[in-house]
Amino acid sequence: MNIQVKNLSKRFKDNIAVNKINFTIEENKTVGLLGANGCGKTTSIGMLLGLITPSEGEIIINNKNLEQIDRVSILNRMNFASPYVELPKKLTVKQNLEVYGRLYGVEHLENKINELSKDLNIDIFLNKKTGELSSGQKNRVTLAKSLINDPEILFLDEPTASLDPDTGDYVRGYIESYKKRKKVTILLASHNMSEVERLCDSIIMMKRGKIIDEGTCQEMIKKHGRKNLEETFLKLARSEDEI
Amino acid sequence: MRFSRIYALSLRHIYLISSSLPRIIDLIYWPTVQIFLWGFISKFFTLNSDYYSNTVGVILTAAILYDFLFRASISYNIMFLEEIWSRNFTNLFIAPIKISEIITSLTVTAIFRTLIGLIPASILAIPLFGVSIFELGIPLFFLMISLYIFGVTLGLLVTSGLLRFGPSFENIAWASLFFLAPLGCIYYPITILPETLQIIAKALPLVHIFEEMRNILLTNSVNMYEIVKSICISLIYFAIGVIVFYMSYFGAKKNGTLINMGE
């Protein structure tokens, strides 16, 4: 599935959170959404997920306007993972995956849960309460939930935030291998530049609600004359003028 | 609407309740305390009041039915608040589930929570105070339907507030039913109220339910018209509750409160 965003804006009273942004994500590509805290990344993802009504502009998925697509049918083909959005803590991991599997109408749910559990190494604590897990374990469970319906569009908001390097690397490796195995279009919001370089085909840089630059990682590094994406990010984030 | 999705959402709450003994005890504890409290008050009144001398347990029956209403409303609110407390709100609203299915699931599941508390308390009242709400007979079923519809309507209105204004609306959730209780004429006849308040009270289903409950217990006759009227009024409020919930949902989407809502 491809995504086109045209002149998308969101105003909250006097504050313009997202200001006329335009971008396209081609089918099966991974695009990184970068920017400092409060630059409009989460609001943009919220609009793409249908959680926030845009003030202006259009979101077009597979050549159809999101507003005109049946909400349930499109949500069935998407999913979202963020460490800031949790699963019910008092339910076991398996119960949570079962509930979401049923909500997404997953066929052969037991097999799907077993497959994801093995792939993400969560099978050993499948019957443990989700609230009793460590951050790294919770993160993998959240990722499992986001993959339960084999989404064609996946939104990842800082998927490896607060993870130790080993677990972070494991999650990145899994997303990488998942991309190779399945057809999935990914929008990744992250502050981890090595993660973005590793996973993204291209990046979009946001600042104060606007897109200030976009391109592949290498193009961006070269264009701004920096050694790596981290330095490029810092240059763009600290520059007073918009590029 | 699809049953599988409604069931999935209900399952989340069934798992939550069934896996926690303290939660089950909490559900049973409060109605039981109510029974004890009102049982003794009821016993005192029946011994010292001519009005209640014909029927033992009018107050206790009213207390049980009021608790049923209270539990239905609170159960609805709690189940919605559980999603906020667990920071699961965003996951729920990005899942392919219709708003009507969320409302249906909460409405259906709230009955289980309500009955877990009510059934032991109602049974306990029989040997302890010699009072059985089942003496109301078949009309009891219809009175409870009316109460339940109104209870979930109050829950629906409070959850609409939570949806629109976030967790800060939580205090209203706890206080919601107490606003209406004085006008509901739960323990006293409507004639006690000043005339102007009687007009307002008649617009609520509670007056018709509790007046009819007293009518059945005191005169042993059933006025089906009053019961049907109470159900119709409850259904009107329920329809208003659904509209308000949808408006709050669209308001929340506009204000961005559906994303990152948590404690």
Side-chain angles (χ1 to χ4, degrees), chain B residues 170-182:
Chain B
E170 191 180 326
N171 286 341
I172 305 288
W174 307 119
S176 61
L177 211 59
F178 297 104
F179 295 147
L180 295 174

Side-chain angles (χ1 to χ4, degrees), chain B residues 225-239:
Chain B
Y225 174 74
E226 280 298 306
I227 296 174
V228 171
K229 197 202 271 182
S230 76
I231 292 174
C232 290
I233 297 172
S234 293
L235 284 171
I236 290 167
Y237 280 106
F238 184 73

Side-chain angles (χ1 to χ4, degrees), chain A residues 10-12 42 45-46 49-53 71-72 75-76 79-80 84-91 95 98-100 102-104 129 145, chain B residues 4-5 7-9 11-12 15-16 19 23 85-88 90-99 249 252-256 258-260:
Chain A
K10 183 64 195 176
R11 273 186 303 276
F12 295 112
T42 304
I45 290 177
L49 282 165
L51 287 171
I52 299 173
T53 309
R71 181 180 165 272
V72 169
L75 288 174
N76 226 343
N79 218 318
F80 171 65
Y84 311 112
V85 177
E86 296 179 17
L87 291 165
K89 298 172 186 70
K90 303 289 178 190
L91 266 62
Q95 285 171 340
E98 188 193 340
V99 166
Y100 277 95
R102 286 177 184 274
L103 280 175
Y104 281 90
K129 286 190 177 169
K145 173 258 151 191
Chain B
S4 58
R5 292 193 292 249
Y7 174 67
L9 196 54
L11 196 62
R12 177 249 190 277
Y15 278 148
L16 186 69
S19 65
R23 267 173 214 272
W85 292 333
S86 62
R87 301 184 68 88
N88 182 44
T90 304
N91 278 329
L92 178 66
F93 281 93
I94 61 152
I97 182 162
K98 293 177 180 173
I99 302 304
Y249 169 70
K253 276 181 70 170
K254 199 178 168 192
N255 289 304
L258 286 181
I259 201 157
N260 289 338

Side-chain angles (χ1 to χ4, degrees), chain B residues 113-131:
Chain B
R113 279 184 63 104
T114 309
L115 290 177
I116 287 171
L118 186 83
I119 290 172
S122 304
I123 292 171
L124 205 65
I126 301 171
L128 282 177
F129 301 103
V131 173

Side-chain angles (χ1 to χ4, degrees), chain A residues 160-212:
Chain A
T160 59
S162 76
L163 293 185
D164 66 74
D166 183 41
T167 315
D169 182 66
Y170 182 88
V171 170
R172 284 187 277 276
Y174 183 77
I175 296 170
E176 226 170 6
S177 71
Y178 187 84
K179 272 174 61 183
K180 284 176 191 161
R181 284 185 282 128
K182 311 264 181 175
K183 287 187 172 179
V184 60
T185 306
I186 301 175
L187 183 64
L188 169 77
S190 178
H191 292 302
N192 185 320
M193 296 303 126
S194 62
E195 174 175 288
V196 172
E197 279 187 88
R198 183 170 165 185
L199 296 174
C200 297
D201 298 297
S202 63
I203 54 171
I204 295 164
M205 180 75 188
M206 286 185 78
K207 190 175 178 179
R208 294 188 201 113
K210 287 183 176 178
I211 293 176
I212 54 168

